[in-house]
Amino acid sequence: MKKVAVLGAGSWGTALSIVLSDNEHDVRLWSHRQAQVDEINIEHTNNRYLDGVSLPKNIRAFNDIQAAIKEVDAIIFVVPSSAIREVCEKIKHLLPDDVMIVHASKGIEPESLKRISEIICEEIPSYHDNDIVILSGPSHAEEVALRHPTTVTVASKNENKANFAQNLFINEFFRVYTSSDVIGVELGGALKNIIALGAGISDGLGFGDNAKAALITRGLAEITRLGTAMGANPLTFLGLCGVGDLIVTSTSIHSRNWRAGNLLGKGKTLDEILSEMGMVVEGVRTTKAAYQLGKKQHVEMPITNGLYDVLFKEKDPKLVVEQLMKRDKREEMDDFQSVKL
């Protein structure tokens, strides 16, 4: 049994807490909202995020982050990417010696263009990037909480730390693979949210399965182009954190990014959608960061650029689709001619 602090009591943090609880770990779930802490500890529910799910009674919620991380063996970051720096600031002087840090958040920071593991290392200088583990893969929290079969990947440059995280989470309904491709696993988990927004827009416009299949496939090519330019293994994008996560996020009503895109396609404004959903839609922030990354890396990213225009320049989605369809002719495998497997 390990003592584990899960920082972030949204749907994904709560679902991972259930996995850890089922594995008989001592689970401390931190939230910055006292009312949510009280609901989890007294009612054993978190209905705003996982409606109707009963939580194991050995999940204890904390509003005091110092108490939550006291003497723990592992800390799991599951806060929105925009909150990573703030939470690091709260804990960097409180960390127990040799604590394992795992992050299960998905995003890239605009302007700095840093991945989440890079942000954590920057904010907590005592941690080297070899010390961070990333958990990612096709995993809707709603299904994990119901103990439906789910498979994810944990990535670290340190094989021992990846194995530790694998053993922490793996059980009969939550299968965990390991990887050493930190860049690929992080980028795949972040960039698929952009394509999921696009898939939602396509569905909202009523374009059907042909258009969505094309968007997902060409979106994967776009993710792979950028990822390999940044040092990722291209084969990672054919795995759970690439095509797997892309499929599940682009095709399901559980996906916040798909739902937000679907509403955009139906004519709602971004501000209306974010207000109505009341939850973080990581793909919006990541689109801005990926747009900037594409320019920096000199990588062609037409889908990302089109979505950037929709989200931040209020361009008509139908017009963007027309522009994508009218692009110059090319050979499909052009993207991969220079990729070394």
Side-chain angles (χ1 to χ4, degrees):
M1 183 182 74
K2 302 295 182 183
K3 295 180 179 179
V4 186
V6 178
L7 306 184
S11 56
W12 188 215
T14 305
L16 288 177
S17 295
I18 292 172
V19 175
L20 293 165
S21 172
D22 286 348
N23 290 352
E24 299 184 351
H25 298 303
D26 177 356
V27 184
R28 296 99 178 272
L29 179 57
W30 173 78
S31 168
H32 66 276
R33 292 192 293 270
Q34 185 63 52
Q36 186 182 27
V37 168
D38 293 340
E39 179 192 354
I40 293 169
N41 288 336
I42 298 169
E43 304 296 333
H44 305 294
T45 60
N46 190 3
N47 283 329
R48 178 180 176 184
Y49 294 99
L50 290 175
D51 189 26
V53 174
S54 295
L55 305 183
K57 293 184 179 179
N58 63 332
I59 295 176
R60 292 181 293 155
F62 291 77
N63 182 242
D64 182 344
I65 200 166
Q66 181 173 2
I69 68 172
K70 184 178 180 181
E71 298 179 347
V72 296
D73 300 294
I75 294 174
I76 319 298
F77 279 82
V78 206
V79 295
S81 62
S82 59
I84 291 290
R85 290 191 186 275
E86 178 185 351
V87 173
C88 285
E89 180 65 28
K90 289 177 182 291
I91 69 169
K92 65 182 179 182
H93 299 301
L94 305 171
L95 291 175
D97 292 337
D98 299 322
V99 67
M100 164 79 75
I101 291 182
V102 179
H103 89 71
S105 303
K106 298 178 179 180
I108 303 168
E109 187 175 54
E111 309 309 331
S112 79
L113 307 183
K114 292 183 183 294
R115 293 175 283 109
I116 291 174
S117 64
E118 294 176 309
I119 296 172
I120 292 172
C121 292
E122 183 175 276
E123 291 294 325
I124 307 176
S126 59
Y127 276 82
H128 189 266
D129 63 352
N130 287 344
D131 297 323
I132 306 296
V133 180
I134 296 92
L135 186 151
S136 189
S139 46
H140 289 312
E142 295 84 352
E143 296 180 7
V144 172
L146 295 175
R147 299 171 177 82
H148 290 176
T150 300
T151 308
V152 300
T153 298
V154 289
S156 177
K157 296 177 184 178
N158 184 316
E159 184 179 359
N160 290 332
K161 290 184 182 294
N163 290 337
F164 181 98
Q166 181 182 46
N167 292 330
L168 195 69
F169 284 99
I170 194 167
N171 61 33
E172 66 273 17
F173 70 89
F174 197 78
R175 182 167 176 79
V176 184
Y177 289 89
T178 60
S179 171
S180 60
D181 185 11
V182 170
I183 295 174
V185 168
E186 278 193 294
L187 288 179
L191 297 174
K192 54 88 183 181
N193 285 329
I194 302 171
I195 309 306
L197 277 169
I201 290 173
S202 179
D203 286 335
L205 291 169
F207 284 156
D209 294 336
N210 293 351
K212 187 159 62 175
L215 184 70
I216 292 172
T217 307
R218 296 310 300 169
L220 180 62
E222 195 161 300
I223 290 169
T224 305
R225 277 200 300 272
L226 182 61
T228 52
M230 295 178 64
N233 182 341
L235 292 178
T236 295
F237 303 113
L238 296 179
L240 292 168
C241 300
V243 68
D245 211 354
L246 187 58
I247 289 171
V248 79
T249 312
S250 299
T251 62
S252 174
I253 60 172
H254 289 316
S255 167
R256 297 178 198 172
N257 294 282
W258 180 90
R259 296 202 312 268
N262 188 253
L263 292 171
L264 278 169
K266 291 178 177 177
K268 290 203 172 186
T269 68
L270 181 59
D271 287 342
E272 289 173 338
I273 293 165
L274 297 178
S275 176
E276 179 180 320
M277 292 182 68
M279 297 183 185
V280 174
V281 180
E282 285 286 3
V284 174
R285 193 169 188 257
T286 304
T287 298
K288 180 179 287 187
Y291 175 84
Q292 295 167 344
L293 266 176
K295 302 295 184 187
K296 179 180 179 181
Q297 296 288 337
H298 306 290
V299 172
E300 189 178 8
M301 301 186 71
I303 297 173
T304 297
N305 294 346
L307 286 168
Y308 180 88
D309 287 344
V310 171
L311 295 173
F312 302 107
K313 296 184 178 180
E314 299 182 355
K315 201 165 188 176
D316 185 342
K318 284 187 178 180
L319 181 59
V320 169
V321 172
E322 289 176 11
Q323 291 173 339
L324 287 171
M325 293 297 290
K326 291 178 180 178
R327 293 174 65 238
D328 290 343
K329 294 181 290 184
R330 60 183 302 174
E331 212 280 331
E332 184 184 9
M333 291 296 113
D334 278 352
D335 296 314
F336 307 108
Q337 298 297 334
S338 62
V339 170
K340 294 181 180 180
L341 300 179

